[in-house]
Amino acid sequence: MTFWAQKHRPGWWKNAVLYQIYPKSFQDANGDGIGDLPGITARLDYLQTLGVDALWLSPIFASPQVDNGYDISDYRAVDPMFGTLDDLRALIRAADARGIGIVLDLVLNHTSDQHRWFQEAKKSKDNPCHDYYIWRDGTPDAPPNGMKATFGGPAWTWVPELGQYYFHQFAPQQPDLNWENPAVRRALYDMINFWIAEGVAGFRLDVIDQIAKEPDNGITANGPRLMEFLRELNRETFGGKDLVTVGEAWGADLARARQYSAPDGSVFSMVFQFEQMVLDQDGSKWKARPWALPELKASIAKWQQGLHGAGWNSLFWNNHDLPRIVSRWGDDGAHRADSAKALAVVLHGLQGTPYIYQGEELGMTNAPFGPQDWRDLESLNAYRELCQTGTPPPQALAAVQRMARDNARTPMQWTAGPNAGFTTGTPWMRVNPNYTAINAEAALADPGSVFYTYQKLIALRKANPVFAAGDFTLLCPGDTQVFAYLRRGGGQTMLVAANLSGRPAAFALPADFAAVPPALATQGAPTPGTLRPWEAALWLLPGEA
Ligand code: GLC
Ligand code: CA
């Protein structure tokens, strides 16, 4: 059955698993070394085998690629590097035939400085597009305030011809749009409706909690008009159309996430919040913070319980901005596969919509790269700034390596052949040298691979109502090795238990569950009383015990 025939009903995304593709690094079909849309179409069988419902594509729109497509110069055009609008239509059709939807990435907070709007805006203060962006008068040496840009340097850039600064939260080549201007909002809504008419399954909305900013007061996230803008966006575009929408909201707390993912459908299906994903950093992502498992469990429990019946969680360990989870919180050495599986089981047993980032299902790891191999402006700028401010280069290297976004952006590892089967040309970014051992071909041939744990988790979710419906009770909250929880609902009870450490851990299986074999076990039959290093299992019982 096609995607829309299966999914076109309210709340379909509550039972769905999404897969994120970083198009530049997924599959190159024409040998230019850069992944493209025909490459994605060629890999649909693989994605169908995995069992995912929809593919979120990081931006494929026209872009100078200063921030790998998160700097858009034409929202309605496919970047020629990725193919044509017809290639996208072909992908939507081919995916649809396999029951898979396509989710586009909307960057509505800013455009590229090469966007026609910004080119016009720079021409004069009376240009109709000038007010599409955020300008302040000033003098060359006195920016309006000291706000910093996320990718380094000041958030204000001076345009001498106008005698004004423009505001950019990210790179200078990513000027922020002025959402206060109704013409900007209208233009964005029309563009979104254009893509809805093309048959997409939904949208991921980049840094969407920053659109209602008040830069004069230093406010970027959660500005006063944010909810008003978001509700208008919903009404004017995707609202009431059974599309999946997920807003990226680094600034979301529980109360805000309840509004963003309100069950009345007035804003988004769900948001990406990052509370769990910053536990190991101390203010700056380049500064490590010691932490222990109970903190992670407490945070997850808080969100599971806080959104139960009141909103909806998105579940993820990885994306294109985060290092690989198996290297970060697993063990990418001797226990690589086991730790990847354990982390998968813990996440996929939760309530919410799981996201798998390309290669996560293979247990792909961080890349041991340095400045010469990095491509990301954030890593390159951070390394330079750390060195300039006195961090010795080896320490700066280690700090950036640990969190570099490029860890996740290396080409997908398909085979043990040249360039991991990603391209017949020269890859735009170096392939992780471990591709000879870690690749899709090897994973598909090994019934015990990480891939099949993900496949099984997806299948279990589809077959068992407790995954989407159940509540959440954390077990042994203070245990520093074991992550275990109970879920009850939809006429079932589920127990998930995982040892997230490299040492055996004591774990007493509750009596009801000891009597039945697990529905999934990552290391064969569990031993009573103990979990082996990085062992995980999941039990299901009829009834809400
Ligand atoms: C989001 C994207 C990230 C991008 C930034 C600016 O955080 O995920 O990749 O650099 O927004 O658009
Ligand atoms: Ca290509």
Side-chain angles (χ1 to χ4, degrees), residues 22 56 67 70-71 105 107 110 151 170 174 204 206-207 248 250 319-321 376-377 405 409:
Y22 200 64
W56 150 27
D67 187 20
Y70 286 92
D71 48 321
D105 204 325
V107 187
H110 47 269
F151 297 146
F170 296 93
Q174 293 167 295
R204 180 260 188 189
D206 193 62
V207 292
E248 185 196 27
W250 285 82
N319 65 33
H320 63 292
D321 295 329
D376 180 15
L377 81 164
R405 306 196 295 182
R409 299 178 180 185

